[in-house]
Amino acid sequence: MLLNTWLLYLVACVGLSLSPGPNSLLALTHGALHGIRKTLFTIAGGATGFFLVIALCLFGIGALVKSSILWLTVLKWIGGAYLVWLGIQVWRSPPISGDLAVNTHLTNGWQLYRQGALSSITNPKVLLFFSAFLPQFIDPQRSLVVQFFILASTFVAIECLVEGLLANMANRIRHWLKKVGRGFNRTCGGVFMVIGAALPLRG
């Protein structure tokens, strides 16, 4: 793809990644609860989910969902239910400890990876956004597969960097978070539940 098109897309991706969303909140929470190394599994899961969502959008599934009220409604309820469930899990998590070893064994890498992937895949707004956003940067005269890898890799790389910075920041202030006990877990869990409950109700 043309360099100026890619640079414009790069700027747009930075703005999108810096806007708050379920995956950035999940990285922040897991960074505080489990440490930066464990949270890399969460970030990798989110990256896998974003790759899948971008592929679905570029190859036509996004257009189908966008045009079908039924499919959009089903996807909204599935995504909302998952976020509520995730919020409950975060709410019930043990309070943050000053000792990383206490928390790092509580959740294995596969569980964190799965949570990150499902958080991105089950968010219908991500699917709808990319189905409307990506066509602006697609050149129909060039290989769609090559453009997919360029667009997907660019967004995922930026998203992973932002989530990694959030997780590292949360890990650095974990000793302060330890003082607030379960308040941090319940605040983050409550945000997830509110987002999940509101998601299916939005037009």
Side-chain angles (χ1 to χ4, degrees):
M1 59 193 310
L2 296 176
L3 179 60
N4 59 342
T5 301
W6 179 80
L7 290 175
L8 181 60
Y9 175 76
L10 177 66
V11 173
C13 286
V14 171
L16 176 61
S17 296
L18 291 176
S19 62
N23 282 81
S24 57
L25 178 60
L26 192 62
L28 182 69
T29 305
H30 284 182
L33 291 174
H34 308 297
I36 183 62
R37 290 187 178 181
K38 281 283 190 178
T39 308
L40 291 177
F41 288 101
T42 306
I43 296 173
T48 302
F50 283 124
F51 260 109
L52 179 58
V53 168
I54 293 174
L56 291 175
C57 292
L58 281 182
F59 296 105
I61 302 301
L64 173 64
V65 173
K66 190 174 182 179
S67 63
S68 172
I69 297 178
L70 175 61
W71 280 108
L72 176 59
T73 302
V74 170
L75 191 57
K76 279 186 175 183
W77 281 102
I78 291 175
Y82 174 71
L83 288 178
V84 170
W85 177 85
L86 188 61
I88 294 173
Q89 301 304 307
V90 173
W91 182 288
R92 298 173 59 186
S93 296
I96 296 171
S97 168
D99 182 7
L100 275 176
V102 173
N103 281 318
T104 53
H105 73 280
L106 294 177
T107 307
N108 62 44
W110 166 246
Q111 290 175 313
L112 298 178
Y113 177 89
R114 183 179 60 189
Q115 288 184 6
L118 289 175
S119 181
S120 56
I121 292 173
T122 59
N123 187 346
K125 290 195 176 298
V126 172
L127 185 62
L128 289 174
F129 177 83
F130 278 117
S131 66
F133 176 66
L134 292 177
Q136 314 301 323
F137 302 93
I138 293 295
D139 184 348
Q141 304 301 320
R142 299 174 184 266
S143 170
L144 184 60
V145 174
V146 173
Q147 291 181 86
F148 159 71
F149 280 108
I150 293 174
L151 295 173
S153 298
T154 299
F155 174 77
V156 169
I158 294 173
E159 183 69 19
C160 288
L161 177 61
V162 170
E163 290 182 19
L165 291 174
L166 288 173
N168 186 57
M169 179 186 68
N171 184 43
R172 288 179 180 276
I173 63 172
R174 61 181 291 108
H175 293 289
W176 174 80
L177 294 174
K178 178 185 177 183
K179 298 179 181 179
V180 300
R182 290 185 180 272
F184 176 78
N185 296 8
R186 291 176 177 175
T187 298
C188 292
V191 171
F192 274 118
M193 287 186 277
V194 169
I195 294 174
L199 191 60
L201 304 178
R202 292 178 61 106

